[in-house]
Amino acid sequence: MLRVMAIDDEATALSELAHLLRQDERIEHVTTARDGLSALQTVIAMRGAGERLDAAFLDTRLPGLDGLELARMIGGFPSPPRLVFVSAYDRAVRAFELGAVDYLLKPIRAERVAEAVRRLCSAAAAAPGGAGGAVRAGDGETDVIPVELGGRTRFVARQAVRYAQAHGDYVRLHTVDGAFLVRMPLAALERRWSGSGFLRAHRSTLVNARHVSELRFDGGRMVLQVGPEAVPVSRRHAREVRDQLVRRFRLAVAAPS
């Protein structure tokens, strides 16, 4: 059972979101706030009283203390609540740099609220300590990146990404199902997925080690076989990539079957 907070300065939107959350049997308690400052004060008061807060559904556009700034502030607390942003797509993508579990596109729909709650429950179950063990949002195998495809939103799971390439202010995610372009700096994606098996193969490329099937040298340059594609490794990153792959292999061999 989750204890959540809904934050939106629009009374109608806040009322609708809170109602949908309270209708969900996986939600134990819903607290509401109309602006970022009062939300922050409520979070601090709850922590001082020893009350658990598992997640925050917050609009990115709030009066006074902006929603993204609020997310950064509460994200700095020990064991912070997970985040679900409620906003327009262009703003929400930038918010994903803060490690959101999901985002809801206004006007919100009941099925999308239910899906966001499902993702929160999955993330909580995967965290140390189970449902009560809150960790920074975006951790665990449930992390996803939203991709816009002709008016539809597709959620690309981290573990499905073979490698990612920088394209200016965008990143192209190469997955088992094709390539998808998202508006996010590669450096932000690297920070978000640090410690999750992604290797910096080039200043413009991150490679998911779990999809690397071969390491070879071609004309004196290191190349990784990632799925059906050969991904070159820069000389600057070659030693670190090799060492990390060898270390990963040794750990896999040493692990009990």
Side-chain angles (χ1 to χ4, degrees), residues 25-239:
E25 62 184 11
R26 296 164 296 184
I27 301 296
E28 176 184 345
H29 181 74
V30 180
T31 301
T32 61
R34 291 284 302 276
D35 60 77
L37 181 58
S38 61
L40 179 60
Q41 291 171 337
T42 300
V43 171
I44 293 173
M46 291 177 68
R47 295 177 69 87
E51 297 181 27
R52 193 180 83 246
L53 180 63
D54 299 306
F57 288 72
L58 68 160
D59 191 352
T60 58
R61 296 182 182 274
L62 295 171
L65 183 61
D66 181 78
L68 298 183
E69 288 301 319
L70 172 63
R72 292 188 183 96
M73 294 181 74
I74 63 177
F77 293 152
S79 300
R82 292 179 176 85
L83 304 176
V84 175
F85 287 96
V86 185
S87 182
Y89 175 76
D90 58 348
R91 182 91 180 196
V93 166
R94 292 197 295 275
F96 260 77
E97 295 180 25
L98 297 172
V101 171
D102 200 354
Y103 80 92
L104 302 178
L105 183 64
K106 289 184 175 182
I108 59 174
R109 295 177 288 116
E111 58 268 29
R112 281 295 294 115
V113 173
E115 173 62 14
V117 174
R118 186 196 68 77
R119 293 181 185 278
L120 288 169
C121 290
S122 296
V135 296
R136 187 175 300 277
D139 289 350
E141 291 302 314
T142 57
D143 192 25
V144 295
I145 297 290
V147 177
E148 280 288 290
L149 296 172
R152 296 180 296 110
T153 301
R154 175 169 181 163
F155 294 94
V156 178
R158 181 181 64 200
Q159 58 266 37
V161 177
R162 287 172 168 158
Y163 66 99
Q165 286 183 311
H167 289 268
D169 294 331
Y170 290 80
V171 173
R172 188 176 300 278
L173 304 176
H174 296 264
T175 78
V176 294
D177 297 320
F180 306 95
L181 199 64
V182 296
R183 187 174 181 179
M184 175 183 289
L186 187 67
L189 189 65
E190 183 178 23
R191 289 193 300 271
R192 177 171 175 170
W193 287 350
S194 63
S196 301
F198 278 78
L199 313 176
R200 174 72 80 157
H202 188 275
R203 62 183 177 85
S204 62
T205 310
L206 287 177
V207 174
N208 189 345
R210 74 172 62 193
H211 288 286
V212 176
S213 59
E214 181 182 88
L215 183 157
R216 64 178 183 273
F217 287 87
D218 187 357
R221 298 292 296 273
M222 182 184 291
V223 176
L224 302 178
Q225 190 66 36
V226 186
E229 299 184 56
V231 178
V233 180
S234 69
R235 288 187 173 90
R236 175 184 176 186
H237 295 92
R239 174 173 292 183

